[in-house]
Amino acid sequence: MTAPLLPLANGELRLVVFDWDGTLMDSPRRIVHCLQRAATEIGAPVRDEASLRNIIGLGVQAAVRELYPDADDRFVERFATTYRACYLDAVDAPETPLFAGVSELLDWLEGRDVLLGVATSKSRRGLDQALEATGLGRYFVATATGDEHASKPDPSMLEFVMARAGVEPGRTRMVGDSVYDLEMARHARVPGVGVTHGVHPPGRLEGAAPLALLPDLEALLEAFRQAEGAH
Ligand SMILES: [Mg+2]
């Protein structure tokens, strides 16, 4: 990596904000499954996996409008409700493990007094359920969800988390697996860091000009370690 990921010296890095789905949690297969099931249940055309992975990262309403451009508000709400019911409760949908290295990464940052946050297109109920199930809730000083803010790439979620944490954009990094995360970061004047183990391939993420692009969270932790060692 050539770009300085983070000047960790002198407490310059104060806050790291993570996307959730496809970044910390390996949930895109469950999301695809439930988007396809929702379409089947309400009698809409079922989109293929590639089309669905493309829009993961947007808020669910924004995603439905991308997939079904002619949809009216009633269709969007029905689709979103059916999708969420599947995602939250379906016992036969794919499971959602954390990616390898999540707790090591969060522990390492926490151990250096870096604050942690989440900016996710999930619903508040969905995020709270995930934080409870994984035990990760205790790490985060602030979280922002898709039903409480405008959809990414609007900067609202990230600005909210920074305001809660009391940290300015220059001392913040946004980590995500989709171009929507990186574009949100740019709109909030926050350097974005891409991870490529989620929904969008490296070439697509590079187009959003991230500060750094890493294959996974273990590589991200190694990059942080190197950045620290460089000072
Ligand atoms: Mg994501």
Side-chain angles (χ1 to χ4, degrees):
M1 181 175 336
T2 51
L5 180 57
L6 310 153
L8 275 157
N10 308 320
E12 282 183 60
L13 176 69
R14 295 290 302 125
L15 173 66
V16 178
V17 182
F18 293 91
D19 167 56
W20 187 267
D21 291 307
T23 297
L24 296 181
M25 179 169 269
D26 192 2
S27 45
R29 277 176 303 121
R30 186 177 181 94
I31 296 172
V32 167
H33 174 93
C34 288
L35 288 169
Q36 291 181 328
R37 185 187 286 188
T40 301
E41 284 187 15
I42 68 174
V46 177
R47 302 302 190 219
D48 64 26
E49 180 172 352
S51 306
L52 296 175
R53 289 178 74 89
N54 181 50
I55 54 76
I56 292 175
L58 291 172
V60 60
Q61 281 92 350
V64 175
R65 289 184 197 284
E66 283 285 319
L67 294 168
Y68 303 97
D70 297 332
D72 60 20
D73 290 350
R74 190 166 160 272
F75 175 93
V76 171
E77 283 313 311
R78 235 179 110 213
F79 194 109
T81 301
T82 310
Y83 163 77
R84 282 183 174 140
C86 172
Y87 189 90
L88 290 171
D89 296 322
V91 294
D92 57 340
E95 299 208 349
T96 57
L98 291 171
F99 283 110
V102 169
S103 39
E104 290 83 355
L105 174 61
L106 300 182
D107 282 338
W108 191 88
L109 290 167
E110 187 182 61
R112 279 146 190 83
D113 295 326
V114 176
L115 299 174
L116 303 170
V118 173
T120 176
S121 296
K122 302 182 91 61
S123 65
R124 170 55 60 189
R125 188 179 159 212
L127 178 65
D128 286 350
Q129 188 185 71
L131 291 174
E132 173 77 26
T134 59
L136 294 187
R138 68 168 195 84
Y139 286 103
F140 303 111
V141 296
T143 60
T145 60
D147 53 349
E148 296 169 343
H149 296 271
S151 175
K152 298 171 185 179
D154 187 283
S156 167
M157 283 188 214
L158 185 48
E159 288 172 346
F160 174 83
V161 173
M162 287 191 288
R164 273 292 173 90
V167 179
E168 62 267 41
R171 293 188 171 196
T172 302
R173 298 292 181 267
M174 174 72 214
V175 179
D177 71 310
S178 78
V179 293
Y180 312 119
D181 300 309
L182 299 177
E183 288 168 0
M184 171 178 70
R186 184 165 51 80
H187 291 149
R189 295 175 294 113
V190 169
V193 176
V195 285
T196 61
H197 62 190
V199 295
H200 286 165
R204 184 126 191 251
L205 294 174
E206 274 164 15
L211 179 63
L213 203 54
L214 287 312
D216 53 36
L217 299 179
E218 289 162 330
L220 178 58
L221 174 54
E222 186 52 36
F224 276 123
R225 284 200 169 112
Q226 287 178 12
E228 182 184 48
H231 287 269

